[in-house]
Amino acid sequence: MRIKEHPIIGEIKKGRLVKFTFDGNEMEGYEGEPIAAALKAAGVMVHRHTSKLDRPRGIFCAIGRCTDCVMVVNGKPNTRTCVTALEEGMNVQTQYGVKAKEADEA
Amino acid sequence: MKRYNLAVIGAGPAGLSAAIEAKKHGMEKVAVFDENSRPGGQLFKQIHKFFGSKEHKAKIRGFKIGEDLLAEAEALGVDVHLNSVVAGIYFPMKRLGVIENECLINYSADNIIIATGANENFIPFDGWTLPGVIGAGAAQTMMNLHGVQPGKKILMVGSGNVGLVVSFQLLQAGCEVAAVIDAAPRVGGYGVHASKVARTGVPFYLSHTVVKAEGEDHVTGAVIAQVDSHFKPVPGTEKHIEVDTICMAVGLTPMSKLCSMAGCKMVDKGGAVPETDKYGATSIEGLYAAGDVAGIEEASSAMITGRISALAACRKDCYITDGEFEKEYDELEGSINKLRKGMFSHENKGRTDITKTDEGIDLSMTLLTKGYVSDREIERFPGVVKEKGVHPVIECTQNIPCNPCQDACKFGCISVGEDITSLPYVNKASRCTGCGMCVANCSGQAIFLVNDDFEPGYSTVTIPYEFIPRPSIGDKGTALSRGGEAVCEAEVVDIKVSPVFDHTALLTMKVPKDMSMKARFYKGKEAL
Amino acid sequence: MSRYLDRSADIGEFIPQPDDDLIICRCEEITKGEIRKAVHLGMWTMTEVKRLIRPGMGLCQGQTCSKHVKGVIAKELHISPAELDDLTARPPMRPVEMGVFGNEVESHE
Amino acid sequence: MSNTTADVIIVGAGIAGNSAAYYCAKKGLKVIVLEEEMIGHGGSSRNGGGARVSGRDAREMPLAIYATRHIWPNLKEELGVDPEYRQNGYLVCGYNEEHKKGIQNRIADAAKMGIDMYLLEGKELKDKHPYVSDHVTCAGWTPTDGVANPLTATLGFYKRARELGARFITGEKVEKIKLYKGRARTVVTQNGNTYEGGKIIVAAGFGGKEIIKSVGLFVPVFKRLIEVIVTEPMPHMFDNMVGGMSGFYGQQTVHGSFVFGNALGREQCFAEITTPVSSSYNPANICHTIGVDIPALKEAKIIRTWSGWTDMSVDGVPIIGNVAEVPDLIIDIGCTGHGFCPGPASGYTLAQLANNETPDVDISKLAYERYDMAKKQPQYY
């Protein structure tokens, strides 16, 4: 959930509200914020399923180090969503192993 | 190839301070590289007021310090490269391979200061890979930089300063903190940080560890258990806690990869750090390490070590004379030594046998095991006095390097003394005007104003309040004890907000007279 | 030169432990038990364990797990973690696209 | 025998040393392996993992052929460690007439040894290898070549040899060999220890040069830095090894990562550096070159670059075998950056020599004595 007003920081500066898709569903987020922040605000927890054990993963370090939060963004796998800025019209997909789910598997 | 007199890696407190210092001492071409889009390093997530004294920028909030440093660096003409990943450091060529603007750009430098800070530690446990298990740094990043709550209900693992500060920040962001746990038998961070969390009602479980994160797709709960003296969970002590997020604050490790990549001689200090002399010079000439990368401390000392390394580089390349260097170094050394004293100093790290303050007063054991000082224990500390009329009650019970309270009171009611780790004491409190500057300026939120002569049968207690919504005068709620238990009804009789208080509101509540030394937090009708 | 290690020295038998299934390396999903077994196969350095079964070889290059891997190996060898050398630090510090890395340009004054 | 005495002392725990230890142990010989660094520290673990026969000098082809026919295919079962050997072919890309000529020469060399290699061009090339760019106009294709994982292969031999009783000591730098009545017998280490063996095998990469010098032999080898990039795991693109006449070589591993190296030509100037460091040039160059030939790889993210030494011999092929001048000394040096694939066959052969057997593989052309100026073998210079 987004923090509307903060006792110390006050209003948190954000870019303009833009639309993007997550696994085909339209979502909204602020331009320039990390993709992970937009997803978190929308309640998305699972960013990917691992290659070997098919386990869910999400945000862990949030600063681009652990690489747990990677997803397929605009077709590119292993994109660190916690440090990749959201852009209008982005296609964000849950990553399964090193790929997004094919349309016929979905 | 572009060559800098000084290239600094990392635009955090150490890096920015280093660049500023180098510029001030005549280096012409100075650059700072940082992988983030926003400089300042961890400072921008630090929304609390800093400790130390005036020279350490005490009572100023971390992000403000970051903004000031950046403005100064830019005004001096430091070349700040943002979104620039130093991908590699190449010796003996003294070259940086930097990824910026979708290119690999090589820069060389006469001197390099590595100020890359630290990485968070984590502890593995059953289910620690589930979404919802995060680092404390991640929580800070999400809420303080991006304005998104990391979760609704959070278990904090770790009671060091990071765990305590982040717990409080979570509360400020409107999240619920279910508990703070630590495998150690004692709270690791400053007691004042613990107290401000405990008084809101957050329970502390020391000698406890998290044994399992529950949930299928994401965290739906946690199981904690008591540990024995070998930190092994004791069977049968498991406790289920309903949370959606488990936040780990279990220490930091220097992010020293670039140092070892460059070929510095490394030593193990709870993680590999480059071997340095007292100026931060590594085994490679012209290569320095400053801030947490050279050994974990905190932002205030990082700023000083950054400056020292820059000065050393300036001396090496003859921007300043040996004499000038010695003079400035002595001053900085004096300044950093003030921070490195007290029971939380490096040499005391991990000690569990300290039982008395430097003044010889028995430490509060309740504070160390539950996060707050008990009503009985608080009486023995020098800041706690009973006076006529309004007066400060300083619940600062450990030797931490901090003295803004001393400067805050224009009327000389509060003294810390030369040694900034000494406990503050109240003198001539009769001169207290109730202005509240001490309450607002105390970085530990440990000062309260008590007036036992408010009206017959009632006292007032003024507390620092950094939450929203702010209650209004006339609101009625509950007063909580230091341990976060409801003790009596309370009525808000004053709420003061002022730019000089810097976002700390002073909330004055009316409580029954016998509660004035018990009531330490106000809880409105709607929960926090 | 590396530290003298006689790989025939007796480190005892591999004894299964209840938390052997615990994931240590998150990127490559390597468990504590797998690391312990590798030590008993003769992998007595961080690098050998990494090369045989991959902890620290994933996307984050050991930034999250190194400390734990080291701890597990040290315990199995009955030595202090400080006696084990860290993995060699190599560029790049963060994953970088080949297209970007190959796009080398000269910096100018 | 004391615990510092063995039938065979092997200096160097790379792929040749480890496999030699394994084959010796299998023959029932008592073996001690001494290694300055850790297991597989040198070139054996630092290469592209190509298991190819094509494109080699005819003198070393027998070893490579023996390895790919008789050793690599069975290693997984034999060692109990998967060396990830896959015999899925090797594509070498070219984009001009000179490259095409080079490929045709390789095809001719291969044919002489009974190895099938073809020239691919135009539509056939694009159909079979759609990942190469239009820039690539011709390619050599050797279906029997393959790839393996240098890390697990090298460690696998160690693991198995150790299980069979070979004693490995790491952090034990051999400084010299001492003679006993004119025969190689003892090695002395920097730590001051001595080890005695009926045979001494020196398979220590460039480091072997100094050791061999201690008994008055000079091998004409120098060291060269190689650098390789490793990417994140990516969706499957190809199973075969891919190289370019422009100099790069590499594979997509079973884990999905791409591993690529390249020869840039300035590697030798780094020889004065004591520890191999990654340069700021080479990985960039590798990426650039590969981006031209395989454009889809531009999006693959590099997670690691690494570097290491290779021991180059002046005539480009290794020096392997007994040394006539110093009985009981067996050397394996100068593998010149392509010793990984034949490595196990070298080890197999070294073990046969150590056991006084006649080797199955013809290594006569790799002898140290070929550098004897009196012999004059101009075709090799």
Side-chain angles (χ1 to χ4, degrees), chain B residues 144-224:
Chain B
N144 297 344
L145 285 186
H146 307 309
V148 177
Q149 288 179 337
K152 285 249 150 297
K153 197 168 177 185
I154 293 130
L155 170 69
M156 178 60 69
V157 182
S159 71
N161 276 337
V162 175
L164 299 172
V165 165
V166 174
S167 293
F168 192 71
Q169 292 175 358
L170 283 163
L171 296 169
Q172 290 178 307
C175 309
E176 193 181 333
V177 178
V180 175
I181 68 166
D182 201 312
R186 286 180 164 204
V187 170
Y190 292 174
V192 288
H193 279 318
S195 297
K196 66 189 196 193
V197 174
R199 74 173 76 111
T200 69
V202 175
F204 279 61
Y205 297 104
L206 275 294
S207 293
H208 273 73
T209 192
V210 54
V211 291
K212 187 175 168 49
E214 298 172 320
E216 284 296 314
D217 251 12
H218 56 86
V219 174
T220 55
V223 177
I224 63 170

Side-chain angles (χ1 to χ4, degrees), chain B residues 35-101:
Chain B
E35 64 177 318
N36 298 297
S37 55
R38 202 172 163 181
Q42 300 310 301
L43 284 175
F44 279 104
K45 301 169 196 170
Q46 309 302 343
I47 58 169
H48 61 281
K49 294 175 178 175
F50 272 37
F51 289 76
S53 63
K54 216 167 186 174
E55 64 192 285
H56 309 114
K57 304 183 198 286
K59 84 178 167 73
I60 303 176
R61 295 185 192 272
F63 66 97
K64 182 74 179 56
I65 297 174
E67 283 166 9
D68 293 349
L69 283 176
L70 182 64
E72 193 177 1
E74 278 174 348
L76 286 166
V78 172
D79 215 347
V80 182
H81 296 247
L82 298 176
N83 296 307
S84 299
V85 174
V86 175
I89 184 165
Y90 304 101
F91 271 76
M93 298 82 94
K94 272 196 192 169
R95 182 168 301 157
L96 302 178
V98 183
I99 306 294
E100 26 182 30
N101 303 319

Side-chain angles (χ1 to χ4, degrees), chain B residues 1-3 29 35 85-88 90 99 102-107 119 121-126 128-129 232 252-253 255 257-258 260-261 268 270-272, chain C residues 22-26 60-61 63-64 67-68 70 75 81-82 84 86-94 96-97 99-109:
Chain B
M1 190 177 301
K2 178 146 191 169
R3 192 176 176 101
K29 289 177 280 181
E35 64 177 318
V85 174
V86 175
Y90 304 101
I99 306 294
E102 307 275 292
C103 292
L104 169 65
I105 307 178
N106 283 303
Y107 295 96
N119 272 333
N121 293 343
F122 298 102
I123 46 166
F125 53 87
D126 187 6
W128 76 301
T129 59
K232 286 262 171 278
L252 300 166
T253 301
M255 194 162 80
K257 259 178 92 172
L258 282 171
S260 52
M261 201 184 287
D268 198 305
Chain C
L22 190 62
I23 298 266
I24 299 291
C25 168
R26 296 169 68 98
C60 95
Q61 288 288 297
Q63 296 199 74
T64 314
K67 227 179 180 164
H68 300 300
K70 198 183 228 187
K75 197 157 183 210
L84 288 168
D86 283 308
L87 297 176
T88 314
R90 298 282 195 188
M93 288 296 291
R94 302 283 176 265
V96 182
E97 287 179 15
V100 171
F101 217 78
N103 201 7
E104 190 188 3
V105 293
E106 192 76 353
S107 58
H108 292 290
E109 294 293 321

Side-chain angles (χ1 to χ4, degrees), chain A:
Chain A
M1 231 178 57
R2 293 197 185 270
I3 302 161
K4 285 187 194 75
E5 203 198 338
H6 193 282
I8 308 300
I9 310 163
E11 201 189 331
I12 288 166
K13 284 185 211 113
K14 286 285 178 184
R16 68 190 175 103
L17 202 60
V18 295
K19 290 189 165 44
F20 69 99
T21 61
F22 165 65
D23 284 347
N25 302 314
E26 191 168 278
M27 282 194 172
E28 280 185 337
Y30 293 98
E31 190 174 49
E33 71 179 349
I35 296 167
L39 291 174
K40 178 85 212 180
V44 175
M45 296 293 287
V46 180
H47 288 216
R48 66 173 177 125
H49 290 266
T50 58
S51 298
K52 204 162 128 185
L53 303 172
D54 190 28
R55 297 221 181 126
R57 294 286 174 89
I59 297 168
F60 187 56
C61 84
I63 51 169
R65 248 157 246 174
C66 76
T67 66
D68 247 15
C69 68
V70 298
M71 300 177 87
V72 181
V73 176
N74 290 341
K76 290 187 191 177
N78 293 337
T79 303
R80 294 176 295 159
T81 56
C82 69
V83 289
T84 304
L86 183 70
E87 291 166 17
E88 179 149 36
M90 258 182 173
N91 177 20
V92 179
Q93 291 170 284
T94 306
Q95 184 169 318
Y96 294 84
V98 293
K99 291 193 263 192
K101 225 172 221 174
E102 306 285 340
D104 54 322
E105 291 175 51

Side-chain angles (χ1 to χ4, degrees), chain D residues 44-275:
Chain D
S44 306
S45 297
R46 303 171 202 244
N47 63 74
R52 65 182 167 87
V53 170
S54 65
R56 287 185 184 272
D57 187 289
R59 291 170 288 173
E60 63 174 16
M61 266 202 192
L63 276 176
I65 292 171
Y66 189 88
T68 47
R69 287 199 184 145
H70 304 293
I71 300 181
W72 284 108
N74 314 316
L75 267 190
K76 186 180 173 181
E77 288 68 37
E78 221 175 319
L79 303 180
V81 167
D82 190 358
E84 297 169 12
Y85 174 67
R86 292 167 294 156
Q87 197 171 25
N88 292 321
Y90 175 34
L91 185 79
V92 58
C93 306
Y95 50 79
N96 58 31
E97 275 308 305
E98 197 190 321
H99 288 165
K100 191 172 166 182
K101 208 173 277 173
I103 292 166
Q104 280 164 335
N105 288 342
R106 287 192 189 189
I107 291 171
D109 286 347
K112 277 183 218 158
M113 303 299 296
I115 305 293
D116 288 334
M117 184 175 173
Y118 313 96
L119 180 71
L120 295 180
E121 287 181 292
K123 190 172 178 306
E124 191 187 5
L125 173 59
K126 291 287 136 61
D127 285 350
K128 287 186 172 158
H129 301 281
Y131 48 87
V132 300
S133 73
D134 291 341
H135 177 79
V136 178
T137 53
C138 57
W141 174 248
T142 319
T144 50
D145 283 351
V147 288
N149 179 338
L151 310 174
T152 55
T154 304
L155 290 170
F157 274 113
Y158 156 65
K159 175 234 154 202
R160 192 71 192 114
R162 183 172 168 271
E163 282 169 353
L164 293 176
R167 181 177 179 215
F168 285 79
I169 302 170
T170 52
E172 185 76 310
K173 182 185 172 152
V174 171
E175 288 195 317
K176 60 180 175 185
I177 299 168
K178 280 175 78 175
L179 301 180
Y180 175 78
K181 297 181 181 171
R183 307 182 81 89
R185 175 63 63 88
T186 310
V187 297
V188 182
T189 71
Q190 199 178 59
N191 293 330
N193 299 323
T194 56
Y195 299 86
E196 208 179 304
K199 298 276 184 185
I200 311 288
I201 297 176
V202 179
F206 183 78
K209 186 177 183 177
E210 277 302 303
I211 300 168
I212 297 169
K213 220 196 250 173
S214 69
V215 287
L217 301 175
F218 182 80
V219 285
V221 296
F222 54 94
K223 63 178 179 179
R224 192 187 71 172
L225 189 75
I226 53 163
E227 292 183 68
V228 166
I229 58 156
V230 183
T231 76
E232 63 186 330
M234 294 277 281
H236 175 261
M237 196 182 287
F238 46 77
D239 292 310
N240 49 285
M241 185 176 181
V242 182
M245 293 302 281
S246 53
F248 74 87
Y249 52 86
Q251 60 163 306
Q252 182 171 22
T253 69
V254 293
H255 297 275
S257 295
F258 292 92
V259 177
F260 276 103
N262 192 14
L264 187 59
R266 40 182 159 178
E267 294 80 4
Q268 240 175 287
C269 43
F270 295 107
E272 69 212 53
I273 302 168
T274 47
T275 48

Side-chain angles (χ1 to χ4, degrees), chain B residues 468-498:
Chain B
I468 47 173
R470 282 195 191 114
S472 309
I473 294 174
D475 282 1
K476 288 195 173 124
T478 312
L480 305 188
S481 68
R482 294 184 185 87
E485 280 170 14
V487 285
C488 60
E489 286 198 346
E491 181 188 343
V492 178
V493 294
D494 195 10
I495 183 115
K496 267 196 231 160
V497 182
S498 158

